[in-house]
Amino acid sequence: MLFFVFRLLRPSVEKSVPLSVWTIKLHNRMSSSRHPRAALCQLSVTADKRANLCAARELLEEAKRRGASMAFLPEAFDYIGSGREETLGLSETLAGETMTQYTQMARKLDIWLSLGGFHERGCERRIYNSHIVVNNQGEMVSTYRKCHLFDVELPEKGVLLNESAYTIPGPSLVAPVQTPVGQIGLGICYDLRFPEFSLALQKSGADILTFPSAFTEATGAAHWEVLLRARAIENQCYVLAAAQVGRHHDGRSSYGHALAVDPWGVVMADCGGERAGVALVEVDLDKIRTVRRNMPLRKHRRDATFYTSL
């Protein structure tokens, strides 16, 4: 049996650098150097797309310096507008300047990117919330458009968002995509709350579920960690969830706490709730196989008709 120990390293960061860096090293009796590293990024974006790009580039360069083969950016990594008109006005197509910058960055840094929620210009003055995977050659290899839209009113908590007012729901899930860190099942934020969504991706071969997000402070404090850990435990997958943090404009703030969770439900990394940063984690695919072998949920699950028999 292998014994896993998690160690948090907090290297010194110059005061002029507005980010935090965590490196979480996964050790066992054998060398962990064979395990690929994933970088989990936390951003605090505004409507200033150029400033947001610079902040993301800084995190991605740091991730590459620390040996990451793939980096994960949160939902709305490109910008967060202050209202419907600004949100629509700043949107671009996948062939626009923003995605061109990121594909060039992936190629230059020789790193894969999970771009977790791009405001993709659609039709009839609406957009798609699109999760795009870019390989280290700068090619867009997979695009998932968010299926579950966040139309939620919680007046007692100061939460009122109507995503469907300007967003087109995606037509379908997309198959998990093979990356240097494993097979990744793509979701976005609110998709996290639908367990059948994650199960479908796991059944299709996902080793890692990823939920790039911009959770509100109220819903994040109540549900963020418990939902991510639940999806990891019930699907016996890694879960990587990049996040937005802090105040974006006068009417909106995000919870932060970008998290990495292992297949046993252990939180491997937490970027906190205060500022931008990046956490690096090592992904051990053997651990997935061990957990699934020792507790064979897939084998024990009844056929679909059983669960609809009521």
Side-chain angles (χ1 to χ4, degrees), residues 63-207:
K64 181 61 181 180
R65 280 194 295 271
R66 294 180 175 274
S69 54
M70 186 166 186
F72 294 75
L73 292 180
E75 183 181 30
F77 67 93
D78 49 350
Y79 65 89
I80 290 180
S82 58
R84 184 180 190 274
E85 292 306 312
E86 185 172 44
T87 297
L88 294 174
L90 290 172
S91 67
E92 301 177 25
T93 68
L94 294 179
E97 181 182 355
T98 295
M99 282 306 304
T100 298
Q101 292 279 352
Y102 278 95
T103 55
Q104 291 175 350
M105 205 183 312
R107 185 168 61 250
K108 180 181 178 181
L109 294 175
D110 187 27
I111 193 170
W112 282 60
L113 300 178
S114 160
L115 302 174
F118 175 70
H119 295 82
E120 180 189 359
R121 185 169 294 165
C123 58
E124 299 180 356
R125 287 181 48 76
R126 297 173 80 198
I127 61 171
Y128 291 102
N129 188 343
S130 300
H131 184 166
I132 303 136
V133 175
V134 179
N135 69 16
N136 61 339
Q137 301 300 311
E139 301 163 333
M140 288 181 264
V141 297
S142 186
T143 300
Y144 161 70
R145 295 174 174 92
K146 188 177 181 183
C147 295
H148 301 102
L149 302 184
F150 190 76
D151 290 356
V152 174
E153 183 175 351
L154 304 171
E156 72 282 3
K157 297 185 181 298
V159 176
L160 175 59
L161 287 171
N162 186 22
E163 191 175 13
S164 66
Y166 54 88
T167 304
I168 307 166
S172 65
L173 285 74
V174 300
V177 57
Q178 184 63 55
T179 76
V181 297
Q183 288 247 105
I184 294 180
L186 306 180
I188 302 174
C189 200
Y190 194 49
D191 291 328
L192 172 63
R193 292 184 180 271
F194 300 88
E196 59 272 32
F197 177 96
S198 296
L199 180 59
L201 291 171
Q202 187 253 45
K203 285 182 174 180
S204 295
D207 303 310

